[in-house]
Amino acid sequence: MASVTLHIQSPPLNHDAVSLSRNHFPVVTFKTTFLGSSLTANGKQLSLPKTFRTQPVITASSSTHTFDVVIIGAGIIGLTIARQFLIGSDLSVAVVDKDVPCSGATGAGQGYLWMVHKEPESDTWDLAMRGHKLWLMFAEKVRAQGLDPLQELGWKQTGSLLVGRTAKEAATLKKKVKKLSEAGLRAEYLTSDALRLKEPELEVGKDGGAAFLPGDCQLDAQRAVAFIQKENRHFSSKGRYAEFFHDPVTSLLRSDSSSEVEGVRTSKNTLYSKKAVIVAAGCWSGSLVHDLFRESDILLNVPVKPRKGHLVVLENFSFLKLNHGLMEMGYVDHLHDTVDRKSSHSVKVEEGQTLSVSMTATMDTVGNLVLGSSRQFTGYSTQVDESIINHIWKRAEEFFPKLKELSLEDFTLDRKVRIGLRPYMLDGKPVIGPVPALMNVIIATGHEGGGLSMALGTAEMVADMVMGNPGIVDSAAFALQGRCC
């Protein structure tokens, strides 16, 4: 499943702005256009639940501080952006969040770093490929340090299978394998018989088949975030890194003369930024930006929609064995909001709401079976819906008949549910780039279910923008002109 996030509502933002002289630090000019889509702000701000803790947070005392870069959001996007500045420059970085790392979309996802469901001709392909390559390099770097990526990151090169059950889907998968191979990936098509050898428990029928990418990997997002945060904290002793958690941003600091953003005010601190303020707050980025700019002369509307999802985690599950990560073709249909009722499951759950459920299945490093996934638009609601859990289970039974011998009721004590909100963009492209007319404010959000896989590529892109470096990924593919404000 794509990554999802848990949120609860918090008090509204304080919109009292502070005006400061522009002489505090220089203004930076960026050479990059705004990437991504526009976002819909709804004026709400919600806080995140405490689902993940690391070692005690390195936080400066309540006061005024100055950094080169201030990042709003401590999910995988925000923390990898911080890491990129720390290892690739001499800039100082502050990360601020209303909660703690991994309490949002990052910590509630399935952890796969797959290319099997990506489209080589899509606008996001280059970013996805770059992110994939950087994760492989990241794992190798961990190994080169004498550490085990499995232990440090939950890293497993399981390979991935995109499966279909009809002759039509099989034909589509064959074409997909050809495209992926031409794009430089090792990919092969598996017939129903060949697939059975790879996954004996999986049933796709005689006409079915699968696209197989043996090089695809998965990781444990919480372990990976903890490792990245530990790396970032190595720079604290040099005065280049600080964390301000449980400290929501309440307003922007604007210059009297130019209206440039010079930093942020939080509930406890004032944080000046010499070069850039980066908003990487997941599906809340739109409403946050809307609130922060509400009393300014800038009208900014960047429509990130929260897209709710459920995952079912069966702990220490030995009844079913999985050798690879699996996903049905209907996942791709639902990802792009086009439902094929023959290949995936779609039901009306409430008037005006359609629930889509696609089979995804992974086995994590400690033997937990993780099943997904659902997609629906329900605003910011994150309540668990048992009927959706049942839909996910029933869908899994269609691919794994052995599960019909069991009942979900048998797993009351050994079952967990991950639920939350993906940052969804209507055109399927993330928002990565400076705000028009405010080049030192950068937004990085809207990755939907691809935040984990595209995080390192996004971080590299943002750092290149701030540093004025030519980007490896062409930013023009994500130009915002005509979509926002």
Side-chain angles (χ1 to χ4, degrees):
M1 168 184 157
S3 56
V4 294
T5 168
L6 293 163
H7 293 278
I8 57 176
Q9 189 160 1
S10 68
L13 289 171
N14 175 6
H15 300 290
D16 294 334
V18 176
S19 296
L20 295 168
S21 170
R22 199 158 179 258
N23 296 327
H24 283 285
F25 34 75
V27 175
V28 175
T29 300
F30 293 82
K31 301 178 181 179
T32 308
T33 58
F34 194 134
L35 312 178
S37 304
S38 49
L39 307 176
T40 301
N42 64 358
K44 297 181 181 178
Q45 183 195 15
L46 301 152
S47 62
L48 309 176
K50 303 168 182 62
T51 59
F52 176 72
R53 298 274 182 190
T54 60
Q55 56 184 304
V57 177
I58 305 170
T59 304
S61 59
S62 299
S63 57
T64 298
H65 311 277
T66 299
F67 301 90
D68 292 305
V69 179
V70 174
I71 300 171
I72 305 171
I76 190 65
I77 300 296
L79 288 175
T80 53
I81 291 174
R83 172 183 175 271
Q84 187 67 30
F85 282 118
L86 293 170
I87 66 174
S89 74
D90 59 357
L91 300 183
S92 59
V93 182
V95 177
V96 58
D97 198 291
K98 65 187 115 179
D99 209 284
V100 293
C102 231
S103 56
T106 302
Q110 207 156 356
Y112 51 72
L113 305 171
W114 300 346
M115 294 297 295
V116 71
H117 61 300
K118 308 292 187 182
E119 290 294 334
E121 298 174 356
S122 68
D123 288 333
T124 58
W125 175 257
D126 288 343
L127 179 58
M129 277 288 283
R130 182 59 181 168
H132 186 73
K133 180 178 180 180
L134 290 173
W135 273 117
L136 293 174
M137 293 168 60
F138 190 100
E140 285 302 316
K141 180 181 177 182
V142 172
R143 190 174 288 110
Q145 295 174 1
L147 303 173
D148 183 359
L150 176 65
Q151 297 299 320
E152 300 296 332
L153 309 175
W155 182 273
K156 294 169 62 180
Q157 186 173 329
T158 59
S160 64
L161 291 162
L162 182 63
V163 303
R165 299 191 295 171
T166 67
K168 180 180 179 181
E169 289 181 337
T172 301
L173 286 168
K174 289 177 183 178
K175 294 178 182 178
K176 186 173 188 62
V177 165
K178 185 175 184 295
K179 289 183 178 180
L180 291 172
S181 298
E182 291 173 348
L185 294 175
R186 180 186 170 193
E188 57 183 292
Y189 175 77
L190 301 179
T191 64
S192 178
D193 290 338
L195 180 57
R196 189 172 295 110
L197 295 176
K198 296 284 188 182
E199 291 290 349
E201 309 279 13
L202 178 67
E203 179 56 53
V204 297
K206 63 182 180 62
D207 294 328
F212 177 43
L213 266 65
D216 274 356
C217 305
Q218 66 185 60
L219 51 70
D220 183 313
Q222 294 196 6
R223 290 194 204 181
V225 164
F227 188 87
I228 291 170
Q229 191 178 13
K230 182 180 179 181
E231 276 196 327
N232 289 352
R233 286 174 169 177
H234 289 161
F235 294 87
S236 297
S237 61
K238 303 176 183 179
R240 292 187 54 209
Y241 181 68
E243 297 169 348
F244 300 84
F245 297 155
H246 299 292
D247 194 9
V249 172
T250 59
S251 62
L252 297 175
L253 308 179
R254 305 288 297 278
S255 165
D256 283 332
S257 58
S258 69
S259 295
E260 288 283 347
V261 173
E262 298 185 327
V264 301
R265 174 194 281 173
T266 72
S267 62
K268 304 174 184 176
N269 296 279
T270 299
L271 307 177
Y272 292 116
S273 169
K274 294 180 181 179
K275 288 190 174 292
V277 173
I278 299 167
V279 180
C283 70
W284 307 104
S285 298
S287 58
L288 177 62
V289 168
H290 178 271
D291 284 347
L292 294 180
F293 283 96
R294 178 175 292 171
E295 297 182 359
S296 75
D297 55 353
I298 297 175
L299 298 177
L300 183 62
N301 178 36
V302 198
V304 177
K305 289 182 66 175
R307 202 178 196 187
K308 185 178 181 180
H310 290 65
L311 280 177
V312 182
V313 182
L314 303 179
E315 298 180 316
N316 302 312
F317 193 81
S318 58
F319 185 76
L320 187 73
K321 181 181 179 182
L322 291 183
N323 301 315
H324 308 83
L326 292 102
M327 174 187 292
E328 70 162 300
M329 281 193 65
Y331 182 97
V332 179
D333 295 331
H334 290 153
L335 178 64
H336 300 295
D337 223 16
T338 59
V339 177
D340 180 349
R341 297 178 186 274
K342 293 182 179 179
S343 66
S344 52
H345 187 56
S346 178
V347 295
K348 293 286 185 180
V349 290
E350 292 181 18
E351 184 176 355
Q353 294 183 15
T354 299
L355 165 70
S356 61
V357 175
S358 306
M359 184 280 295
T360 62
T362 56
M363 192 73 71
D364 68 15
T365 57
V366 294
N368 299 328
L369 176 66
V370 185
L371 295 174
S373 67
S374 69
R375 277 181 163 83
Q376 61 183 146
F377 294 105
T378 60
Y380 288 91
S381 169
T382 55
Q383 293 184 350
V384 176
D385 187 330
E386 286 296 328
S387 68
I388 295 177
I389 301 303
N390 289 329
H391 281 304
I392 291 175
W393 181 255
K394 293 297 183 183
R395 190 64 181 171
E397 286 180 343
E398 295 181 31
F399 289 85
F400 302 100
K402 191 175 181 180
L403 292 180
K404 295 180 181 180
E405 302 174 23
L406 306 174
S407 170
L408 262 181
E409 296 177 358
D410 299 333
F411 302 100
T412 303
L413 298 179
D414 299 318
R415 187 198 79 178
K416 292 183 178 179
V417 176
R418 299 176 188 172
I419 183 174
L421 308 172
R422 308 172 182 91
Y424 169 81
M425 313 304 284
L426 182 61
D427 65 0
K429 296 189 293 185
V431 178
I432 311 168
V435 172
L438 281 176
M439 298 299 287
N440 65 331
V441 178
I442 293 177
I443 298 178
T445 187
H447 298 75
E448 217 272 357
L452 186 65
S453 62
M454 290 190 278
L456 296 180
T458 297
E460 184 179 67
M461 185 182 293
V462 170
D464 285 339
M465 291 176 187
V466 174
M467 301 299 294
N469 299 327
I472 294 177
V473 176
D474 184 8
S475 63
F478 299 90
L480 180 67
Q481 283 79 1
R483 297 189 196 151
C484 107
C485 317

